[in-house]
Amino acid sequence: MPIILGLIGAITVAFIWIMRMRNAAEMTHEIAGVAQDVLAAARRLGFRRRLDTHPVDSIEEPPLAIGALAIAFLELGGLPTAEQQDALLKSLQAHTGQGMKDAEETLILGRWLVNEANGPQPAIARLSRRLAKIDRAGSFTPLMAVLNDVAASGRNAAVSDRQKDALDEIARAFKIG
């Protein structure tokens, strides 16, 4: 009897170990897939990261900076809903003149840029300064239109305190107000 119980225990441990290894392998494939999505989006949008600078400082196209800023702004309001993400995608298309595929890839790369900036709050400051540097006059209106659409798509359509601080940061970067 003790031998049978020991054998059942060993089989159970082996089964659990195999399942954990299988789950780890699946997770590795998912992470590799995300990395490939970011690389493909960067290639398609023409984003070239300079090795001696922060990735945000490598942005040369205003729509990419606007998309990344919008993602950071959306995340400052809490966990985004599917409706908010759809509203962001449609607004980005409408106000930057991008097609559906380009807007989707802008958001993929934008989310990566926000993560590289250590979260939405620091990303707002860094991205808004970069956007003001590359296109101060032409990008403020589309940026504010996208952010307005994102704010209006919220659960109660109210701007959180963190989002208000982000708007103040954007105004400082663009030297407005």
Side-chain angles (χ1 to χ4, degrees):
M1 186 68 163
I3 294 174
I4 294 174
L5 287 177
L7 188 58
I8 291 173
I11 291 172
T12 303
V13 168
F15 178 75
I16 291 172
W17 185 77
I18 289 171
M19 292 307 292
R20 291 188 71 181
M21 288 294 131
R22 185 175 295 160
N23 289 342
E26 286 177 18
M27 204 176 326
T28 303
H29 289 294
E30 286 179 19
I31 290 171
V34 169
Q36 289 173 349
D37 290 346
V38 170
L39 288 173
R43 239 182 262 118
R44 185 157 165 19
L45 294 174
F47 177 76
R48 303 267 186 249
R49 181 176 179 189
R50 294 187 299 262
L51 295 177
D52 58 339
T53 62
H54 191 276
V56 170
D57 297 331
S58 298
I59 296 174
E60 296 296 330
E61 297 297 322
L64 178 56
I66 290 171
L69 270 165
I71 287 173
F73 184 79
L74 181 62
E75 289 179 0
L76 285 174
L79 189 63
T81 64
E83 294 82 22
Q84 288 174 313
Q85 291 174 353
D86 289 342
L88 172 57
L89 183 62
K90 289 175 185 169
S91 181
L92 194 60
Q93 286 178 275
H95 298 293
T96 63
Q98 292 182 316
M100 176 68 94
K101 185 75 171 163
D102 285 345
E104 287 173 343
E105 291 181 347
T106 295
L107 294 179
I108 290 169
L109 192 53
R111 188 167 312 284
W112 177 76
L113 288 166
V114 169
N115 287 337
E116 288 296 304
N118 297 323
Q121 193 72 40
I124 292 284
R126 185 166 231 149
L127 286 162
S128 57
R129 285 192 308 266
R130 181 63 187 163
L131 182 59
K133 185 176 180 180
I134 60 176
D135 186 22
R136 183 178 306 274
S139 61
F140 184 72
T141 302
L143 171 63
M144 294 314 292
V146 170
L147 295 183
N148 186 41
D149 291 348
V150 167
S153 70
R155 294 170 206 47
N156 56 7
V159 178
S160 72
D161 290 338
R162 292 176 67 196
Q163 288 174 323
K164 288 177 187 173
D165 293 342
L167 291 172
D168 291 341
E169 183 66 39
I170 292 168
R172 276 192 297 278
F174 278 87
K175 297 183 169 110
I176 295 174

